[in-house]
């Protein structure tokens, strides 16, 4: 969660078509999807969507949308095309479903094994007309001396392209033609023939379907790592000018082989980017799978954040920037950021960048319906806890609790058991480091929760869980009544009123602990 990150630039495009940069990712390609989409989000204006389609629980940075792969229509793969060259190529047929995303005017598709190196918005200068496709020729030096990968011809043409980067205008009618083409075994115009083998799966199909309807893209938009090592192309391709480095042979996140020795510098670039982006990424859970009880909107997500994010947050929380904000209470230390639940309505301050981004990520992930404006941070040492309580009516009825550094058991108790017989009367949840607990509606309003004052937690099954030297929890909430948002605090009167609210808060929290 680096503070130095530049915000996305406003769009320089004069017209405002709806544009989405899209990737598809299996669980295996999740690390690649993180690096690709984070790179896109950093370099694209905010009015351009960045989307990953997957059935896996990917980790992504804020500002990237995760959509279920099932939202794309099915693509029938004809049996006559033979086995793909690699098993994972079968997954790529789902790419054709992107033509059905007619809620967008323009789609830019990128494989999830791509690293964005430079400015990428200029790719939108090559959008083809409807019914055409824009793509980069494939490097075919391995089978042809006339490889035209870095040739300078402009416009369309009859060439074999790599389907790792595609620019097109979605069309329901074109998608229907694709499906009919596949179902009819190449029934196209007056020609009818059995489909030839397609070892490169959807790439072979697209090359046949869009033959002579392809606009050539410069190779900087799909720089194949093996081509960049080829003396024939090296003069035209380097990492300072390439936009998209495509790891078509040997994935940086996969176990190393002898092949990777030739691409060690390219893979180092990917790992450097992954380390940076992982420090801002959060999981995108499948929430129904994380629901603790079917009758209760209570969700527990293990490893919601990475160790990198945890380390970044701990450095912020215990660093010089916030050291004077802590309040030492009887059974814990407390740090409140954002705003306080004052009876006259909160006068808010900005949350620190890292925590604000964490809040936006919660909304992106579907964990909260709106961005939180308060973060309450508790520090627990061994033997410390918090008595049974509810957060009360001064907050919206949803809260997210992120645990850092050490585990603890949290106990929930239903207050009115006779009135709500279908709800569980008691629950016990283990909050592990980097886990996220989300309470909504009934879980927030009808239950109290507590953490015992012990050095070792003992579960219902008898398992003993020692407390760590320190446990830190972040409770993210949204204040129900706000007098002034942070951007509205503009004069000395408002700033003085805000300081008075914090003095009131300090006296109140000391009394109730």
């Amino acid at each position: 969660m680096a503070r130095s990150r530049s915000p996305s630039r406003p769009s320089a495009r004069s017209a405002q078509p709806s544009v989405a940069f899209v990737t598809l990712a299996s669980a295996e390609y999740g690390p690649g999807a993180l690096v690709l989409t984070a790179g896109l989000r950093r370099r694209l204006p905010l009015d351009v969507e960045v989307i990953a389609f997957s059935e896996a629980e990917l980790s992504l940075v804020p500002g990237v949308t995760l959509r279920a792969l099932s939202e794309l229509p099915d693509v029938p793969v004809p049996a006559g095309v033979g086995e793909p060259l690699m098993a994972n190529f079968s997954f790529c047929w789902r790419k054709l479903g992107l033509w059905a995303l007619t809620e967008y005017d323009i789609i830019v598709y990128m494989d999830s094994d791509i690293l964005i190196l430079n400015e990428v918005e200029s790719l939108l200068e090559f959008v083809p007309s409807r019914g055409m496709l824009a793509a980069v020729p494939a490097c075919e030096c391995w089978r042809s001396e006339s490889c035209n990968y870095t040739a300078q011809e402009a416009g369309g043409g009859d060439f074999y392209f790599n389907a790792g980067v595609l620019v097109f205008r979605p069309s329901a009618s074109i998608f229907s033609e694709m499906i009919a083409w596949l179902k009819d075994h190449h029934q196209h115009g007056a020609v009818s023939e059995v489909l030839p083998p397609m070892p490169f799966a959807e790439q072979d199909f697209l090359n046949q379907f869009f033959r002579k309807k392809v606009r050539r893209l410069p190779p900087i938009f799909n720089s194949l790592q093996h081509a960049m090592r080829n003396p024939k192309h090296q003069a035209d391709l380097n990492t300072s000018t390439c936009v998209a480095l495509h790891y078509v042979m040997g994935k940086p996140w996969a176990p190393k082989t002898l092949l990777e020795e030739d691409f060690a510098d390219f893979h180092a670039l990917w790992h450097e980017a992954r380390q940076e982006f992982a420090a801002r990424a959060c999981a995108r859970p499948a929430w129904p799978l994380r629901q603790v009880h079917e009758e209760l909107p209570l969700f527990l997500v293990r490893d919601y954040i990475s160790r990198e994010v945890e380390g970044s947050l701990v450095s912020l929380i215990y660093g010089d920037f916030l050291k004077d904000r802590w309040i030492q209470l009887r059974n814990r230390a407390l740090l409140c950021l954002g705003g306080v639940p004052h009876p006259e309505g909160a006068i808010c301050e900005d949350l620190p960048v890292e925590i604000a981004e964490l809040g936006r990520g919660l909304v992106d992930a579907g964990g909260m319906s709106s961005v939180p404006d308060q973060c309450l941070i508790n520090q627990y040492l061994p033997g410390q806890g918090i008595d049974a309580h509810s957060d009360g009516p001064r907050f919206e009825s949803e809260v997210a609790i992120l645990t850092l550094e050490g585990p603890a058991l949290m106990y929930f108790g239903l207050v009115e058991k006779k009135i709500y017989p279908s709800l569980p009367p008691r629950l016990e949840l283990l909050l592990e480091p980097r886990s996220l607990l989300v309470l909504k509606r009934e879980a927030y309003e009808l239950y109290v929760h507590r953490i015992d004052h012990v050095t070792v937690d003992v579960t219902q099954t008898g398992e003993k869980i020692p407390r760590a030297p320190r446990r830190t929890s972040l409770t993210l909430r949204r204040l129900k009544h706000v007098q002034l948002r942070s951007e509205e605090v503009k004069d000395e009167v408002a700033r003085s009123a805000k300081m008075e609210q914090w003095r009131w808060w300090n006296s109140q929290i000391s009394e109730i602990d």
Side-chain angles (χ1 to χ4, degrees):
M1 291 187 173
R3 291 172 185 249
S4 59
R5 183 175 65 92
S6 303
S8 297
R9 297 169 287 105
S11 175
R13 293 174 286 120
S14 56
Q16 293 298 320
S18 57
V19 180
F21 279 64
V22 179
T23 193
L24 275 62
S26 62
E28 178 187 357
Y29 276 63
L34 165 61
V35 171
L36 168 66
T37 57
L40 290 171
R41 183 69 284 161
R42 163 175 283 177
R43 296 180 181 274
L44 288 169
L46 293 176
D47 60 350
V48 173
E49 286 197 54
V50 179
I51 305 171
F53 282 91
S54 181
E55 296 302 341
E57 294 184 322
L58 303 182
S59 287
L60 301 170
V61 300
V64 176
T65 300
L66 177 63
R67 293 178 60 174
L69 194 61
S70 58
E71 294 183 45
L72 297 177
D74 290 332
V75 176
V77 181
V81 300
E83 292 296 319
L85 188 65
M86 299 181 69
N88 62 293
F89 285 177
S90 297
F91 176 81
C92 297
W93 284 100
R94 301 300 301 268
K95 191 184 303 182
L96 304 188
L98 297 175
W99 266 264
L101 288 181
T102 54
E103 64 262 41
Y104 300 102
D105 298 311
I106 299 166
I107 292 286
V108 179
Y109 169 81
M110 290 187 164
D111 278 353
S112 55
D113 55 352
I114 285 176
L115 170 65
I116 302 300
L117 294 174
N118 291 295
E119 186 274 322
V120 70
E121 191 181 359
S122 59
L123 188 52
L124 297 176
E125 299 171 7
F126 297 88
V127 177
S129 58
R130 193 170 302 279
M132 292 188 65
L133 184 68
V136 176
C139 178
E140 298 186 282
C141 289
W142 59 280
R143 66 179 181 182
S144 172
E145 294 183 1
S146 59
C147 173
N148 62 0
Y149 177 58
T150 52
Q152 299 301 312
E153 295 94 338
D158 188 8
F159 59 88
Y160 188 88
F161 59 84
N162 180 280
V165 175
L166 303 171
V167 186
F168 57 92
R169 298 178 184 272
S171 167
S173 61
I174 291 176
F175 177 69
S176 296
E177 288 179 31
M178 289 179 174
I179 298 305
W181 200 95
L182 288 169
K183 287 182 176 179
D184 296 344
H185 286 261
H186 198 159
Q187 184 73 35
H188 203 56
V191 179
S192 179
E193 59 184 11
V194 175
L195 282 174
M198 295 185 179
F200 290 96
E202 94 303 340
Q203 178 170 289
D204 288 330
F205 166 76
L206 289 170
N207 271 274
Q208 294 182 52
F209 186 86
F210 285 99
R211 188 179 179 190
K212 298 186 178 181
K213 296 181 180 179
V214 183
R215 181 176 183 179
R216 181 190 298 268
L217 291 176
I220 61 170
F221 292 115
N222 189 0
S223 302
L224 311 176
Q225 67 172 350
H226 65 283
M228 293 177 71
R229 282 287 183 263
N230 191 320
K232 182 176 181 178
H233 305 305
Q234 280 180 328
D236 299 294
L237 299 172
N238 59 74
T239 55
S240 64
T241 57
C242 289
V243 172
L245 173 54
H246 193 173
Y247 298 93
V248 291
M249 297 172 64
K251 311 307 176 190
W253 61 85
K256 291 183 178 181
T257 66
L258 291 177
L259 178 66
E260 274 69 66
E261 294 180 3
D262 293 334
F263 307 130
D265 53 341
F266 295 156
H267 287 211
L269 289 173
W270 186 91
H271 283 286
E272 181 180 347
R274 191 259 171 206
Q275 183 176 8
E276 177 186 357
F277 294 140
R280 297 174 43 228
C282 298
R284 301 297 177 87
W287 293 103
L289 300 180
R290 305 304 170 194
Q291 192 167 358
V292 173
H293 189 279
E294 61 181 7
E295 298 290 338
L296 202 60
L298 180 64
F299 307 87
L300 181 60
V301 182
R302 293 178 175 83
D303 292 318
Y304 175 71
I305 59 172
S306 65
R307 292 183 183 275
E308 292 91 341
V309 174
E310 181 183 38
S312 176
L313 289 170
V314 169
S315 296
L316 167 72
I317 290 166
Y318 295 107
D320 292 340
F321 182 62
L322 297 175
K323 66 179 181 180
D324 296 329
R325 300 284 300 270
W326 284 93
I327 301 173
Q328 184 61 54
L329 303 178
R330 186 173 65 252
N331 291 310
R332 67 190 192 281
L334 180 69
L335 171 62
C336 183
L337 301 170
V340 298
H342 194 273
E344 297 178 3
I347 301 176
C348 295
E349 63 179 8
D350 286 332
L351 290 169
V353 172
E354 294 89 340
I355 294 176
E357 189 167 74
L358 186 67
R360 290 193 296 271
L362 276 167
V363 176
D364 289 340
M368 298 185 75
S369 59
S370 56
V371 178
D373 51 18
Q374 190 203 59
C375 180
L376 199 65
I377 304 175
N378 285 289
Q379 179 204 89
Y380 299 96
L381 302 179
Q384 294 182 339
I386 187 167
D387 294 337
H389 67 284
S390 64
D391 287 8
R394 292 184 179 175
F395 300 94
E396 301 293 346
S397 58
E398 60 177 12
V399 60
I401 301 173
L402 181 67
T403 293
L404 308 178
E405 300 187 284
L409 282 180
M410 179 172 280
Y411 299 91
F412 287 80
L414 181 61
V415 177
E416 300 287 351
K417 300 179 181 63
K418 293 182 179 180
I419 299 177
Y420 303 100
S422 65
L423 296 179
R426 290 174 297 277
L427 287 168
E428 170 195 284
L429 297 178
L430 175 60
L431 307 184
E432 298 173 288
R434 300 175 296 282
S435 68
L436 179 76
L437 179 68
V438 176
L439 303 80
K440 298 187 178 187
R441 302 186 304 279
E442 295 91 344
Y444 179 92
E445 297 164 359
L446 304 180
Y447 284 78
V448 294
H449 53 278
R450 76 176 199 273
I451 293 174
D452 286 345
H453 304 264
V454 296
T455 57
V456 178
D457 283 303
V458 181
T459 69
Q460 291 178 343
T461 60
E463 180 184 1
K464 294 182 178 180
I465 302 170
R467 295 278 179 88
R470 184 175 68 190
R471 174 180 175 266
T472 305
S473 71
L474 283 69
T475 300
L476 293 128
R477 304 181 286 201
R478 190 162 183 87
L479 293 153
K480 186 169 285 187
H481 302 294
V482 174
Q483 184 183 151
L484 293 173
R485 295 287 175 196
S486 59
E487 63 272 14
E488 298 171 325
V489 181
K490 297 179 179 179
D491 55 36
E492 190 59 36
V493 174
R495 285 190 285 270
S496 296
K498 182 180 70 172
M499 294 305 297
E500 183 59 37
Q501 287 198 356
W502 283 98
R503 284 190 286 272
W504 168 86
W505 164 259
N506 289 345
S507 65
Q508 293 293 308
I509 196 66
S510 297
E511 290 176 8
I512 65 175
D513 183 66

